Amino acid sequence: MEISKLSKRVIEDNIEKLLELEQRYSGNPDELWGRDNFLMEVEGKFDLSRVAFDGNNIAGYVIISIRREDERIFGYVNRTFVNPRYRNSSVYVRMFLSARLDLKKLGLNVLRWKCSVDNKRVYEYHLSFADEIIRQESHQGKVYSLFQKRIG
């Protein structure tokens, strides 16, 4: 398994695979990412995001960007995916550990992300990984928790 930066070039070279994974495995059709989402220019995205390859197959990806909120700057996880065949492996953690190095190089010591409370299995995993829940918010009838992890 190879963990690499999910650069703009890597996205362009693998866009059809990424879109197919979104179509096949996304739980909510209203939240599917399209070509524009993957290729959108967002601060730090192409340096911080990661992809896991098993040969030519995408085992997973994590899209991370830089966010600024209330005069704080932090890494923000916009999207994660792990192919069901790899969910009991360490691919998810390995992608985050790889991104952590670049976050620290940029002087960022906090990583934040949201997770729906409805997705019990994933939500419980995030609870075990996070340092704290910053807040809960509602969007389109779903409740999300905003998690935070210090990476210093």
Side-chain angles (χ1 to χ4, degrees), residues 66-82:
I66 295 173
R67 286 251 176 118
R68 299 165 194 278
E69 186 178 288
D70 300 325
E71 299 196 27
R72 294 197 62 191
I73 182 170
F74 52 89
Y76 185 80
V77 178
N78 298 279
R79 192 81 165 165
T80 61
F81 170 78
V82 175

Side-chain angles (χ1 to χ4, degrees), residues 126-142:
H126 287 290
L127 277 174
S128 69
F129 182 71
D131 293 328
E132 62 183 309
I133 296 175
I134 301 297
R135 66 178 174 266
Q136 286 197 326
E137 40 192 63
S138 182
H139 179 69
Q140 295 181 343
K142 282 188 160 187

Side-chain angles (χ1 to χ4, degrees), residues 78-141:
N78 298 279
R79 192 81 165 165
T80 61
F81 170 78
V82 175
N83 188 311
R85 293 184 304 185
Y86 299 93
R87 288 196 178 147
N88 291 325
S89 71
S90 63
V91 65
Y92 191 74
V93 172
R94 290 179 58 205
M95 288 188 295
F96 275 103
L97 289 174
S98 173
R100 179 178 179 231
L101 298 173
D102 284 331
L103 286 161
K104 288 175 72 173
K105 285 179 191 172
L106 293 171
L108 302 174
N109 59 6
V110 170
L111 185 64
R112 290 185 178 175
W113 67 96
K114 288 181 189 172
C115 181
S116 168
V117 298
D118 294 337
N119 193 340
K120 298 288 186 212
R121 180 184 59 82
V122 174
Y123 189 82
E124 288 178 13
Y125 177 80
H126 287 290
L127 277 174
S128 69
F129 182 71
D131 293 328
E132 62 183 309
I133 296 175
I134 301 297
R135 66 178 174 266
Q136 286 197 326
E137 40 192 63
S138 182
H139 179 69
Q140 295 181 343

